[in-house]
Amino acid sequence: MTKTCQQHEGHAFAQKQPSCSPRPGFQTLITLLLFLFFFPFVHATAEDDAGDSDKKHDSYSQGVKRGERLFYGLVEGKFEGNACADCHNTMEIDTFNWNPNAWEIAHKYKERSIEEFTRAVMNPTGRTMSEVHESFSLNEAEVALVKEFLDHFEEQGLTKRKPVINKILLFLLLGVLLTWIVIEVVFLKKVKRKWILGVLFSGALGWQVILLLDAGISLGRQENYEPDQPIKFSHMVHVTDNQIDCKYCHHTVGQSKSAGFPEVDLCMNCHIIVRDGTHSGMHEISKVVSAHENNESIEWIRVHNLQDHVFFSHAQHVEVVGIDCQTCHGPVEEMHRVRQVSDLSMGWCINCHRDTEVQFFDNAFYEKYEELHRAMKSGEISRVTAEQVGGAECSKCHY
Ligand code: HEC
Ligand code: HEC
Ligand code: HEC
Ligand code: HEC
Ligand code: HEC
Ligand code: HEC
């Protein structure tokens, strides 16, 4: 093949010789490669999944199927308003939902009797519960079918969202593409239009560099991270609606490096009495109570996480300097679920040290800076920033 082509080189009509034009599959190959470039941006969502789940259901028993139809509100005349699944989501979601999800209620009632389940659904005791569960007309047999479905659902778990094709895969594909181009240029030499290879090569290499930089810089960083917590604890409810001070719960913040998480006993100071929440009814608070009764701690998921080689002290910033929590953490008092608002990068720390003036006079902490005191008195400088008192020295922040 290659030989024939080379023989025609120099011939005026060489370009038109079928044996010399790029192989017929070449265009398709280029299109395919271009597609691969953009493929990772095509995100599939779980909603597209309806077809799949229909198939899965073939193996269900008749009872589970009927229970499922009831749970999703697909049976005429059973629900005036929302069906169970509208409140108790069966799929992983990334928005905040006050209602317990379907797996939570399935799990809680799996080992419990049908009487208990029926009571929870039809004759709720909580204040909120009575409102949300008042608009259905289910008979006992139908409630039993719903439980049959939920027992089955407990094993299956919430429907996962499809993972987005990740960057590692894109990186590898780009690597394959680059290798192919090199092999092509050095050995195969089948592609005539070398500029196409050039464009592809620089494109692929550029992408790899961008991916690497991105991964390197954000390694371990997570701005806007907002995980679901084991209990739907809301700062909005506690701080804004009920005027509880940050330091009542984060009581180590003034004396130690860490602000810490409150113990279950501290929650119980109030929740020994308060058992019914406005947004979540009894469900969430009952988790606090049962943790207390079983002497368990609550496994809060950390939102803010500095890498191990960085030293940060709350006491220094909150007590000595007097910085508000919100300067670093944003309006926590308006959040139902805590979100990380600052990127916690080195640049973020240092920029603030550069810009923030410290209370320099009458502060025993800064007496040792004689040179700066002299410069302030003589008017050479008008203010002292955190940077000038060591806030940019590597060893202050790094172990
Ligand atoms: C009634 C107790 C209580 C009060 C009051 C309270 N918090 Fe919290 N805070 C918690 C609990 C429990 C968590 C862990 C669960 C979570 O992340 O929501 C937490 C988590 C946090 C976190 C996330 C920590 C992390 O990285 O995981 C921040 C930041 C925070 N609180 C700041 C504040 C600020 C600022 C205030 C005052 C405006 C405040 N808290 C008031 C109990 C409280
Ligand atoms: C100083 C008293 C106090 C402390 C301490 C306290 N809470 Fe509360 N909590 C309340 C009040 C008041 C409500 C609101 C009840 C309502 O909605 O009527 C509440 C509501 C709640 C709710 C339900 C929210 C809703 O609207 O449905 C949860 C869940 C909760 N608290 C968890 C916790 C946890 C976990 C802790 C410990 C980290 C804690 N609370 C500590 C007073 C407190
Ligand atoms: C409008 C929203 C809504 C709808 C519709 C709804 N629920 Fe609920 N459900 C809730 C809320 C909120 C709670 C928590 C209330 C509480 O614990 O006080 C709850 C609690 C429950 C509980 C008890 C959880 C516990 O902690 O003990 C069960 C069981 C339950 N729901 C089943 C169902 C079933 C079955 C249906 C459909 C027939 C249904 N729910 C429809 C909102 C809803
Ligand atoms: C100068 C910025 C800054 C200020 C001001 C600040 N924090 Fe933090 N906070 C951080 C950083 C950074 C972390 C992550 C620490 C780590 O991972 O070691 C953090 C972590 C936390 C945590 C997680 C638990 C822990 O101690 O690591 C809580 C809770 C918290 N802060 C609450 C507060 C509260 C409450 C205030 C106000 C009284 C406050 N913070 C003021 C920067 C700040
Ligand atoms: C909102 C502004 C602000 C942010 C953000 C901030 N700091 Fe600071 N920091 C200060 C100020 C002001 C001081 C006081 C200067 C001093 O006492 O040396 C200080 C002091 C310190 C000190 C003590 C320095 C010494 O001289 O002993 C350390 C260590 C420190 N910060 C680490 C950090 C780290 C790590 C981060 C980022 C995770 C950070 N800071 C983010 C304002 C900030
Ligand atoms: C005010 C605090 C502070 C000072 C001063 C500081 N760093 Fe950092 N440094 C950080 C923080 C916070 C991170 C973590 C950044 C991240 O997670 O992306 C970091 C990360 C790093 C990293 C790892 C890069 C990474 O992305 O993880 C290196 C290397 C580093 N610093 C070197 C230095 C050197 C060298 C100096 C002195 C010139 C210095 N740092 C001064 C706070 C500081």
Side-chain angles (χ1 to χ4, degrees):
M1 243 332 240
T2 324
K3 268 215 171 110
T4 349
C5 249
Q6 278 163 351
Q7 278 164 5
H8 285 282
E9 241 154 30
H11 191 286
F13 300 107
Q15 293 285 29
K16 289 182 184 154
Q17 297 277 341
S19 60
C20 280
S21 64
R23 298 246 300 278
F26 181 66
Q27 241 86 18
T28 335
L29 185 66
I30 296 287
T31 324
L32 233 162
L33 289 172
L34 283 174
F35 177 69
L36 285 180
F37 262 95
F38 297 102
F39 188 64
F41 302 101
V42 189
H43 294 182
T45 61
E47 268 100 335
D48 308 336
D49 226 352
D52 284 10
S53 56
D54 274 355
K55 261 182 239 140
K56 264 188 267 154
H57 295 183
D58 284 349
S59 58
Y60 290 8
S61 78
Q62 208 54 34
V64 172
K65 260 190 218 165
R66 287 172 59 201
E68 179 175 35
R69 288 176 58 75
L70 284 165
F71 196 82
Y72 280 95
L74 300 176
V75 182
E76 279 293 313
K78 296 294 169 192
F79 298 94
E80 283 166 34
N82 289 318
C84 320
D86 295 331
C87 295
H88 302 296
N89 57 288
T90 55
M91 198 184 280
E92 282 183 353
I93 52 172
D94 50 17
T95 46
F96 181 77
N97 181 1
W98 274 111
N99 309 310
N101 68 42
W103 187 83
E104 281 184 287
I105 54 174
H107 185 65
K108 184 165 177 177
Y109 285 89
K110 177 115 184 180
E111 304 298 334
R112 299 193 188 192
S113 66
I114 182 69
E115 288 76 26
E116 257 185 292
F117 181 75
T118 310
R119 211 177 310 127
V121 180
M122 304 310 284
N123 308 306
T125 45
R127 179 159 48 93
T128 328
M129 182 92 131
S130 58
E131 275 170 39
V132 292
H133 280 188
E134 81 193 345
S135 67
F136 11 99
S137 46
L138 300 176
N139 58 36
E140 264 176 40
E142 285 163 336
V143 174
L145 288 173
V146 170
K147 183 157 189 327
E148 201 175 332
F149 162 66
L150 284 176
D151 287 347
H152 176 89
F153 184 80
E154 200 263 354
E155 282 157 34
Q156 183 186 315
L158 291 186
T159 310
K160 297 255 184 307
R161 293 192 298 150
K162 276 194 186 155
V164 172
I165 298 198
N166 63 35
K167 292 182 176 174
I168 298 173
L169 192 60
L170 175 61
F171 191 81
L172 291 179
L173 285 173
L174 290 168
V176 171
L177 175 58
L178 286 171
T179 319
W180 173 76
I181 295 173
V182 170
I183 294 177
E184 165 61 36
V185 170
V186 179
F187 301 107
L188 304 175
K189 302 192 173 115
K190 277 179 199 152
V191 179
K192 259 296 177 66
R193 289 171 222 163
K194 291 277 184 288
W195 64 268
I196 295 184
L197 291 178
V199 169
L200 271 178
F201 190 82
S202 35
L205 198 65
W207 265 90
Q208 278 203 330
V209 171
I210 291 172
L211 285 172
L212 271 183
L213 284 179
D214 196 48
I217 293 171
S218 61
L219 201 71
R221 276 210 223 135
Q222 39 192 3
E223 195 175 349
N224 291 329
Y225 181 49
E226 188 183 343
D228 264 333
Q229 298 290 348
I231 297 179
K232 286 165 189 156
F233 174 84
S234 160
H235 281 81
M236 174 97 135
V237 167
H238 290 86
V239 181
T240 302
D241 301 347
N242 288 291
Q243 299 295 315
I244 307 171
D245 187 53
C246 307
K247 291 180 189 171
Y248 178 82
C249 293
H250 301 291
H251 51 83
T252 59
V253 80
Q255 308 95 44
S256 90
K257 191 174 159 307
S258 159
F261 297 97
E263 305 74 35
V264 181
D265 282 352
L266 193 132
C267 311
M268 288 308 285
N269 286 350
C270 301
H271 288 292
I272 192 97
I273 300 165
V274 182
R275 293 289 172 102
D276 199 353
T278 311
H279 303 85
S280 63
M282 311 196 47
H283 183 79
E284 297 298 328
I285 295 175
S286 73
K287 295 183 196 168
V288 183
V289 176
S290 94
H292 174 72
E293 282 166 358
N294 299 322
N295 234 333
E296 290 164 352
S297 56
I298 301 165
E299 303 291 327
W300 300 113
I301 304 197
R302 275 194 80 101
V303 181
H304 299 77
N305 235 328
L306 278 177
Q307 293 176 41
D308 290 343
H309 58 85
V310 183
F311 173 84
F312 175 85
S313 160
H314 274 92
Q316 171 78 18
H317 291 85
V318 174
E319 280 306 302
V320 180
V321 194
I323 301 172
D324 286 340
C325 313
Q326 284 78 359
T327 312
C328 296
H329 292 298
V332 178
E333 68 282 2
E334 290 166 14
M335 299 177 192
H336 283 313
R337 184 170 65 180
V338 176
R339 185 179 70 254
Q340 178 176 326
V341 299
S342 310
D343 68 3
L344 307 193
S345 67
M346 179 161 140
W348 176 72
C349 315
I350 293 202
N351 280 341
C352 182
H353 288 183
R354 203 164 278 156
D355 296 341
T356 310
E357 196 173 334
V358 296
Q359 188 58 44
F360 196 58
F361 292 110
D362 305 324
N363 190 336
F365 200 76
Y366 300 127
E367 262 163 21
K368 58 185 177 199
Y369 296 97
E370 288 165 14
E371 178 56 25
L372 285 173
H373 275 287
R374 190 197 57 75
M376 277 289 264
K377 286 209 186 85
S378 69
E380 279 168 52
I381 51 171
S382 59
R383 58 178 214 147
V384 174
T385 63
E387 185 183 20
Q388 284 166 302
V389 289
E393 283 165 25
C394 317
S395 61
K396 287 281 166 65
C397 301
H398 292 293
Y399 291 111

